[in-house]
Amino acid sequence: MPETVLVTGGAGFIGSHTCVELLAHGYEVVVVDNHVNSSPRALERIAKTAGRPLTAAYDTDVRDRGALAEVFAAHRVDAVIHFAAHKAVGDSVARPVEYYDTNVGGTCALLSVMHEHDVRRLVFSSSCSVYGDAQNVPLTEHSPVAPTNPYARTKLMCERILADVCAHLTDMKVLALRYFNPVGAHPDGLLGEDPHGVPDNVMPYVAQVAVGRRERLSVFGDDYPTPDGTGVRDYIHVMDVAEGHRVAVEHLDDDTGMRVFNLGTGTGTSVLELVAAFAEASGRDIPYRVVDRRPGDVAELVADASAVAAAWNWTTARDLAAMCRDAWRFQELNPRGYAR
Ligand code: NAD
Ligand code: WQD
């Protein structure tokens, strides 16, 4: 019998790519998503890209315990991957209650329904933002955590809740993955990142400049203590993030309890290096101008990715050129994202 994985937030950027990866490896996949930040069209594209349909998809809010219980009653769920959350840092400062409600409340609702249905295996989306303004890079899983905004605090709170649950339910198996900066798209050009409104993140912004939807990129500061003065991040291809989740599901039974891993490449890239790589991949000019630093930004966030490599014998495979090439292909083929 193939395993059934319930994917919350499965229509979103990382969730949709992970669904394709799971389908390609024979899993039955059930999606729960209320589409607050995604299009139901992503679900059609998942089936098309994977060449196999999802087992089921529910337009359901993870905070709705009753509706969630019906999903668990209808499927024998072997494992859950929990992506559903709000994720915009600035928005979290403006709407903290919504962030705590969805991210922390949604995780609690999910955990209680999992418990009622004896589902004990969970992969949780955490974030490099839990490290805050890091003093020493690369960051290992033992680096100090010091989140600097409500979004990041919701992720750290969820990690702490999960650790407490694991201490109580000793047969629970939880993997919390702290992703660094996921970017790129599926190479077939059907699935990608489709942010609503003006993109907060640099890669979708650059892609929209390249395709002519925006005039120029604002580079937030060139006076950081980095080689070219612009912010350095650990960009990771979303296909590697998706693969990492499938591999995580395969390793859930390695141990009981709560385990935390970074999901990054270990390579830092500056904003100007990213712009140059995107221009090269797309053959387009990326006009930019340097403006003030964005409040709350940090100079450099790069993962020490060795723990995951040692635990799972797995590393990321795709470089910056592939990230830009695939993000560009999606942008060029879908200039308005999933909107028809
Ligand atoms: P996304 O917004 O594209 O996907 C999240 C999905 O969850 C969306 O489809 C949204 O509609 C859904 N959702 C939100 N609230 C919901 C609710 N109450 N009930 C049901 N569905 C709900 O974001 P993403 O980039 O794919 O991120 C996925 C996860 O990874 C999030 O938990 C995010 O915090 C985490 N993460 C993302 C990044 C990043 O840079 N993209 C980095 C680190 C961690
Ligand atoms: C990257 C670099 C900016 C936009 C965010 C979240 C983090 C995690 C990943 C969820 C920085 C610069 C950006 C622009 C720019 N998400 N930049 N012009 O801030 O590293 O991380 O996504 O967990 O929690 O904070 O990503 O893509 O916004 O910025 O110059 O228009 O690009 O200053 O150096 P960030 P980002």
Side-chain angles (χ1 to χ4, degrees):
M1 276 280 279
E3 279 198 3
T4 298
V5 181
L6 179 85
V7 181
T8 76
F13 173 45
I14 303 172
S16 57
H17 290 79
T18 302
C19 287
V20 169
E21 170 75 11
L22 292 169
L23 288 169
H25 284 79
Y27 289 91
E28 295 294 318
V29 181
V30 176
V31 166
V32 167
D33 198 307
N34 69 354
H35 302 297
V36 66
N37 196 40
S38 57
S39 165
R41 291 196 192 115
L43 301 172
E44 298 160 19
R45 302 237 178 144
I46 290 169
K48 211 165 161 190
T49 299
R52 267 187 72 202
L54 294 163
T55 304
Y58 296 89
D59 187 344
T60 294
D61 191 312
V62 282
R63 293 166 296 179
D64 183 343
R65 289 173 201 230
L68 213 49
E70 284 176 25
V71 176
F72 278 80
H75 304 274
R76 187 187 52 80
V77 174
D78 297 294
V80 178
I81 305 181
H82 181 37
F83 292 112
H86 292 309
K87 65 163 181 179
V89 169
D91 190 35
S92 80
V93 176
R95 302 192 304 137
V97 177
E98 283 82 352
Y99 274 68
Y100 286 106
D101 189 28
T102 293
N103 296 9
V104 181
T107 300
C108 291
L110 175 67
L111 283 168
S112 65
V113 177
M114 283 176 64
H115 183 49
E116 282 159 22
H117 290 80
D118 281 328
V119 179
R120 296 284 196 261
R121 301 162 80 232
L122 173 69
V123 180
F124 174 72
S125 289
S126 190
S127 167
C128 66
S129 60
V130 300
Y131 296 115
D133 192 356
Q135 298 308 310
N136 295 300
V137 293
L139 291 147
T140 77
E141 292 78 358
H142 303 291
S143 296
V145 287
T148 57
N149 57 69
Y151 163 71
R153 279 189 279 278
T154 67
K155 291 291 168 183
L156 187 59
M157 275 180 200
C158 288
E159 285 193 10
R160 297 213 159 128
I161 291 167
L162 291 167
D164 285 340
V165 169
C166 287
H168 172 61
L169 299 175
T170 50
D171 56 346
M172 274 295 279
K173 295 163 180 171
V174 177
L175 282 166
L177 306 182
R178 293 175 176 166
Y179 327 144
F180 279 65
N181 288 55
V183 297
H186 193 287
D188 79 356
L190 283 178
L191 284 176
E193 190 168 11
D194 180 22
H196 294 172
V198 182
D200 290 315
N201 298 118
V202 69
M203 183 68 121
Y205 203 106
V206 167
Q208 292 190 7
V209 172
V211 83
R213 264 176 75 178
R214 312 215 172 260
E215 197 182 339
R216 69 167 78 84
L217 175 74
S218 295
V219 174
F220 297 143
D222 65 354
D223 56 352
Y224 285 105
T226 59
D228 66 19
T230 65
V232 168
R233 296 292 182 271
D234 185 339
Y235 297 97
I236 174 171
H237 199 300
V238 67
M239 296 294 289
D240 280 325
V241 179
E243 197 179 292
H245 282 77
R246 192 257 307 159
V247 174
V249 168
E250 289 167 1
H251 283 275
L252 273 171
D253 294 331
D254 289 356
D255 208 348
T256 53
M258 162 92 171
R259 286 159 287 156
V260 177
F261 287 110
N262 287 337
L263 215 51
T265 65
T267 301
T269 301
S270 75
V271 178
L272 294 183
E273 286 169 338
L274 181 73
V275 167
F278 204 96
E280 170 79 25
S282 64
R284 302 283 175 107
D285 254 7
I286 315 288
Y288 68 85
R289 78 169 157 220
V290 177
V291 300
D292 287 347
R293 291 182 179 194
R294 182 170 64 178
D297 268 355
V298 303
E300 188 171 359
L301 281 177
V302 177
D304 178 330
S306 60
V308 112
W312 305 342
N313 192 24
W314 176 85
T315 54
T316 58
R318 296 155 181 94
D319 63 9
L320 183 66
M323 298 179 212
C324 294
R325 190 171 60 237
D326 294 334
W328 171 242
R329 186 176 299 111
F330 178 74
Q331 187 67 64
E332 201 179 18
L333 294 176
N334 309 270
R336 296 174 57 239
Y338 292 123
R340 277 197 252 265

